[in-house]
Amino acid sequence: MQYAQIGVERREAFPGGRGTCPICGASTVAKCGRRVIHHWAHATRRDCDPWWENETDWHREWKSLFPEECREISYTVPDGEIHRADLVTPTGI
């Protein structure tokens, strides 16, 4: 995931960072290697979003074309499953 919660702030990963998942509240750790896109991961092996996929450089660049407040928006679908959408526009698309 691109963002984790650090106090009241949503932040991108930084070396040595620790935060919480904005969906489930579990602990997250920053992954900031030379060969991987900087991102947050759950401290345990569990990911609360069953639709989760690895993110490529292209994917991250595409998301960056949209305002930060539109990226990685969490919502619950009618059957109760939680999802972290890559993007949600102000009109809800």
Side-chain angles (χ1 to χ4, degrees):
M1 73 188 99
Q2 186 174 3
Y3 301 100
Q5 204 67 34
I6 308 230
V8 296
E9 197 175 14
R10 214 170 77 123
R11 300 247 339 247
E12 292 194 53
F14 55 91
R18 293 200 171 270
T20 57
C21 174
I23 294 177
C24 69
S27 295
T28 58
V29 293
K31 302 290 185 167
C32 298
R34 291 181 305 198
R35 295 184 178 188
V36 298
I37 296 171
H38 290 195
H39 67 284
W40 295 96
H42 283 85
T44 63
R45 300 189 93 168
R46 176 184 156 280
D47 192 325
C48 59
D49 184 353
W51 295 357
W52 171 87
E53 294 179 5
N54 283 326
E55 193 166 81
T56 63
D57 289 327
W58 178 90
H59 192 165
R60 183 64 65 91
E61 187 64 31
W62 173 76
K63 286 184 354 183
S64 76
L65 298 174
F66 294 84
E68 189 173 317
E69 62 271 9
C70 294
R71 296 183 229 156
E72 292 195 358
I73 305 301
S74 301
Y75 65 93
T76 304
V77 294
D79 70 359
E81 185 175 78
I82 298 171
H83 177 58
R84 181 176 47 249
D86 286 333
L87 297 166
V88 176
T89 66
T91 60
I93 295 174

